[in-house]
Amino acid sequence: MKRGVSLLTLVLGGARSGKSRYAESLITALPPPWIYLATAEARDAEMAERIALHRARRGADWKTVEAPHDLVAALAARGEAPLLVDCLTLWLSNLLLADADVDAEIGRLEGALARPAAAVVLVANEVGFGIVPDNALARRFRDLQGRLNQRLAAMADRVVLVVAGLPLVVKGNL
Amino acid sequence: MKRGVSLLTLVLGGARSGKSRYAESLITALPPPWIYLATAEARDAEMAERIALHRARRGADWKTVEAPHDLVAALAARGEAPLLVDCLTLWLSNLLLADADVDAEIGRLEGALARPAAAVVLVANEVGFGIVPDNALARRFRDLQGRLNQRLAAMADRVVLVVAGLPLVVKGNL
Amino acid sequence: MKRGVSLLTLVLGGARSGKSRYAESLITALPPPWIYLATAEARDAEMAERIALHRARRGADWKTVEAPHDLVAALAARGEAPLLVDCLTLWLSNLLLADADVDAEIGRLEGALARPAAAVVLVANEVGFGIVPDNALARRFRDLQGRLNQRLAAMADRVVLVVAGLPLVVKGNL
């Protein structure tokens, strides 16, 4: 396990911040093939359009694995290729909609990430910098996302906040 | 008054960003006892649960002072123990609900903080990084919080933005 | 064209973050006269009050040009004086309300900024760090603002995120 290859990186950013593109650039700086672990489910036209746009940007060196719910199993089944998880916010949203035990799932995720055999880059939204949302579900989601980000940031080697496509390093080096 | 002991620190962060925990770590790095100036009022079950969780995390070296409204009097009455104010966003919210003269209260707060006899750490939310809220009260709150943060940041020795539990230094050194 | 004079700077920040004041300070550090390219339209009392407050803070060395819609023409007509655009978020909002071709307008803006004859400072809101907004227009606005910020950040010499009135450098040097 070489330093610089087996790092765990957490890429945080707002909506349309360029966080996915930045996260991809971290993976494609390593030799292919690369694994794209997709958590999105095309539940409506807006989502379908976003998924298509993201796919169109990626090339043939990417192997896409769909894992909207059982992200942990998909992580466990991975080999030694650099892997991108895009994104934890959709995964969390899927868990909430499926009424899953979110804390238990986060614990399983931490376990699956604890012994990385290759570089893993996780993408997640930072959603807590606005006014308190009106509805309770949005508040609960905000809380869970915040706790998830804290837990993964604590174990990550690098944490980057993407602002307008540019990385602001919060932990570790670029 | 020793440098490194009597600093005024402003800790900003989003919801569930770990800002309180980080702010506490700044205080507990100093010799006890420590004062916890709590601005929360348990107006509903959600708030009561959050207050209980925060209390449970603190130990016997903390003296808790409840000051949901007259934060300034509580600050004036303090001795020379390191002091944490958690948090200014709830205090601001309490002032707004009580229809207080917010600008005057912020001025009084600045006065009370101008001559610190011991380390003071202030916690506040950063709430302005979202879409313009629909309702006027939320917009007014956002404006007031922004101005409060600017005024306190201007007089603080250190300003830190907490992202996923990690400090991003905006002013001063860690 | 001297380095340090002809830079393109993008100043991002939340609501009431002090981003306009900080952006003005970058311009007023250069010799006057200065051009203030205002994109605000006083569509209601709240907006009119904000415009008046901003104007009151500026002095006689500023020449104000109102350009709520055709920002690009106003930029093209400028001379060699340092110029502040405050702000791109209102401009984007005006374009959306006027049902303009936003992508085409952003492209024109990039063209107008490509060969700066004097320092240009652009102010824009960072709006993507909250929970997904309920209504589709807000989501669309958030997406467009995010993309606009990414495109301008890519071509800017300096990008600064203002937090509580303080600059956090994301690209370039202060």
Side-chain angles (χ1 to χ4, degrees):
Chain A
M1 202 165 90
K2 284 171 288 175
R3 180 90 190 157
V5 171
S6 304
L7 292 170
L8 177 63
T9 303
L10 176 62
V11 175
L12 299 170
R16 262 4 80 195
S17 63
K19 59 189 182 306
S20 292
R21 190 185 297 249
Y22 175 74
E24 283 173 32
S25 77
L26 294 180
I27 294 289
T28 57
L30 303 171
W34 312 302
I35 301 173
Y36 184 89
L37 234 161
T39 59
E41 275 187 312
R43 277 189 304 266
D44 57 39
E46 208 176 320
M47 280 298 304
E49 191 189 332
R50 289 192 175 180
I51 290 173
L53 279 170
H54 279 209
R55 261 185 201 276
R57 219 172 51 213
R58 296 192 303 271
D61 284 326
W62 285 94
K63 182 192 169 198
T64 298
V65 177
E66 311 266 352
H69 293 276
D70 206 349
L71 177 59
V72 174
L75 275 170
R78 78 183 188 277
E80 304 220 342
L83 183 147
L84 174 65
V85 177
D86 193 7
C87 72
L88 293 174
T89 297
L90 287 171
W91 173 70
L92 186 60
S93 174
N94 294 339
L95 290 181
L96 265 182
L97 290 174
D99 218 14
D101 181 341
V102 174
D103 269 328
E105 289 297 318
I106 295 176
R108 288 179 65 213
L109 177 62
E110 288 175 320
L113 292 169
R115 294 164 300 277
V120 172
V121 177
L122 309 169
V123 177
N125 278 68
E126 170 54 60
V127 300
F129 282 123
I131 282 286
V132 181
D134 283 333
N135 77 78
L137 182 63
R139 287 198 300 276
R140 192 175 160 223
F141 185 79
R142 197 167 79 138
D143 282 5
L144 289 171
Q145 181 73 67
R147 273 187 232 142
L148 173 60
N149 290 354
Q150 281 187 59
R151 287 168 70 169
L152 296 176
M155 70 185 293
D157 301 287
R158 298 186 296 188
V159 180
V160 175
L161 181 69
V162 177
V163 176
L166 302 166
L168 205 53
V169 179
V170 184
K171 182 182 185 180
N173 301 310
L174 269 185
Chain B
M1 202 165 90
K2 284 171 287 174
R3 179 89 190 156
V5 172
S6 303
L7 292 171
L8 177 63
T9 303
L10 176 62
V11 175
L12 299 170
R16 263 3 82 193
S17 63
K19 60 190 183 304
S20 292
R21 192 185 295 249
Y22 175 75
E24 284 173 32
S25 77
L26 295 179
I27 294 288
T28 57
L30 304 171
W34 312 302
I35 301 173
Y36 184 88
L37 236 160
T39 59
E41 275 186 313
R43 278 190 302 266
D44 57 39
E46 206 176 322
M47 281 298 304
E49 191 189 331
R50 288 192 176 180
I51 291 173
L53 279 170
H54 278 209
R55 261 185 201 278
R57 217 173 51 214
R58 296 192 303 271
D61 284 325
W62 286 93
K63 180 192 169 198
T64 298
V65 177
E66 313 264 352
H69 295 276
D70 206 349
L71 176 60
V72 175
L75 275 170
R78 78 182 188 276
E80 305 219 342
L83 183 147
L84 174 64
V85 177
D86 192 7
C87 72
L88 292 173
T89 298
L90 287 170
W91 173 70
L92 186 60
S93 175
N94 293 339
L95 289 181
L96 264 183
L97 290 174
D99 218 13
D101 180 343
V102 173
D103 270 328
E105 289 296 319
I106 294 176
R108 289 179 65 213
L109 177 62
E110 287 174 320
L113 292 169
R115 293 165 300 277
V120 172
V121 177
L122 310 169
V123 177
N125 279 68
E126 169 56 58
V127 300
F129 282 123
I131 282 287
V132 181
D134 283 332
N135 78 79
L137 182 63
R139 287 197 300 275
R140 194 177 158 222
F141 185 80
R142 197 167 79 138
D143 281 5
L144 289 170
Q145 181 72 67
R147 274 186 231 142
L148 173 60
N149 290 355
Q150 281 188 57
R151 286 168 72 169
L152 295 177
M155 68 186 295
D157 301 286
R158 296 187 295 189
V159 180
V160 176
L161 182 69
V162 177
V163 176
L166 302 167
L168 205 51
V169 178
V170 184
K171 182 183 184 181
N173 302 310
L174 268 186
Chain C
M1 202 166 89
K2 285 172 289 176
R3 178 92 191 155
V5 172
S6 304
L7 292 171
L8 177 63
T9 303
L10 176 62
V11 175
L12 299 170
R16 263 3 82 193
S17 63
K19 62 190 181 304
S20 291
R21 192 185 295 248
Y22 175 75
E24 284 172 33
S25 77
L26 295 180
I27 294 288
T28 58
L30 304 171
W34 311 303
I35 301 173
Y36 184 90
L37 235 161
T39 59
E41 274 186 314
R43 278 189 304 266
D44 57 39
E46 207 175 321
M47 280 299 304
E49 191 189 330
R50 289 193 174 178
I51 290 173
L53 280 170
H54 278 209
R55 262 184 200 278
R57 217 173 51 213
R58 298 192 302 271
D61 284 326
W62 286 93
K63 181 192 169 198
T64 298
V65 177
E66 312 264 353
H69 294 277
D70 206 349
L71 177 60
V72 175
L75 275 169
R78 76 183 190 277
E80 304 219 342
L83 183 148
L84 174 64
V85 177
D86 192 6
C87 68
L88 292 174
T89 298
L90 287 171
W91 173 70
L92 186 60
S93 174
N94 293 339
L95 290 181
L96 264 183
L97 291 173
D99 218 14
D101 180 341
V102 174
D103 269 328
E105 289 296 317
I106 294 176
R108 288 180 64 214
L109 177 62
E110 288 174 319
L113 292 169
R115 294 164 299 276
V120 172
V121 177
L122 309 169
V123 178
N125 278 68
E126 170 54 59
V127 300
F129 282 123
I131 282 286
V132 181
D134 284 332
N135 77 79
L137 182 62
R139 286 198 299 275
R140 191 176 161 222
F141 185 79
R142 196 167 80 139
D143 281 4
L144 288 171
Q145 181 73 68
R147 274 186 233 144
L148 173 61
N149 290 354
Q150 281 188 57
R151 286 168 71 168
L152 295 176
M155 69 186 293
D157 301 287
R158 296 185 297 187
V159 179
V160 176
L161 181 70
V162 177
V163 175
L166 302 167
L168 206 52
V169 179
V170 184
K171 182 182 185 180
N173 301 309
L174 268 184

